[in-house]
Amino acid sequence: MRKNIVAGNWKMNKNLQEGIALAKELNEALTADKPNCDVVICTPFIHLASVTPIVDSALIGVGAENCADKVSGAYTGEVSAEMVASTGAQYVILGHSERRSYYGETVEILEEKVKLALANNLTPIFCIGEVLEERQAEKQNEVVAAQLASVFTLSAEDFSKIVLAYEPVWAIGTGLTATPEQAQDIHAYIRSLIAEKYGQEIADNCSILYGGSCKPSNAKELFAKPDVDGGLIGGAALKVADFKGIIDAFK
Ligand code: PGA
């Protein structure tokens, strides 16, 4: 059975003290009122070692927002998947559109990152999604199919361990959200590609999250769609009331 997941992506927000305070507040809120889905917070690297011990791992998983495409060595400023795992983190966002567009992450680089994440027992939350011009040209299906090449070289066993996030770039941080119907259409298409490649059972078990201006006011409608299994949340993950409002869409 696939899992429903609400994952926060803090991006480059919150200093260490602010991040610890946010994680504590979320932990308290979810301890008092248990979620009906898996909850994950993905934080800047420097927060990981401080945040993992203060959240109840039965309620909140912790993840990084990126990791290196190399195992170890002379790569100044990089953080490896092994280092991420050594903090107690269990997840890593890979292929976010901001990494693809600002830091030149290609299908090939992302394939390496996914493999290293899995080799270190991290669950990749692998992001795909088209930009506005591609949507206007009705090329979104082609775009996501090409981006999936980074994960379609995995064995069936490894593919079963990953989570996908469909994030239309035109909806990220813009206040524009895909309609529930737009999200459902492309999530169903993504699932059909997985079924073609790995079979229906693996496709049915794969969690596909929606991301892009997801808020308490639209989460319920989006998550109600049969192929939308939760959300990857940016801006609304920075306030406990908003993030919990989205988590509560599963109640
Ligand atoms: P947003 O970001 O919720 O602020 O649109 C989503 C994301 O980039 O993961």
Side-chain angles (χ1 to χ4, degrees), residues 158-180:
D158 276 347
F159 184 87
S160 310
K161 297 175 187 160
I162 75 169
V163 171
L164 291 178
Y166 166 67
E167 298 202 298
V169 180
W170 46 271
I172 296 177
T174 58
L176 281 177
T177 315
T179 63

Side-chain angles (χ1 to χ4, degrees), residues 9 11-13 44-45 65-70 76-78 93-110 113:
N9 173 11
K11 308 194 180 183
M12 198 172 74
N13 293 295
F45 291 129
E65 301 170 12
N66 180 29
C67 70
D69 62 338
K70 302 287 192 297
T76 303
E78 287 294 281
I93 296 172
L94 292 173
H96 191 279
S97 64
E98 289 148 19
R99 300 294 317 172
R100 292 177 191 266
S101 68
Y102 306 148
Y103 302 98
E105 297 195 356
T106 61
V107 166
E108 295 75 26
I109 290 172
L110 290 169
K113 292 189 178 200

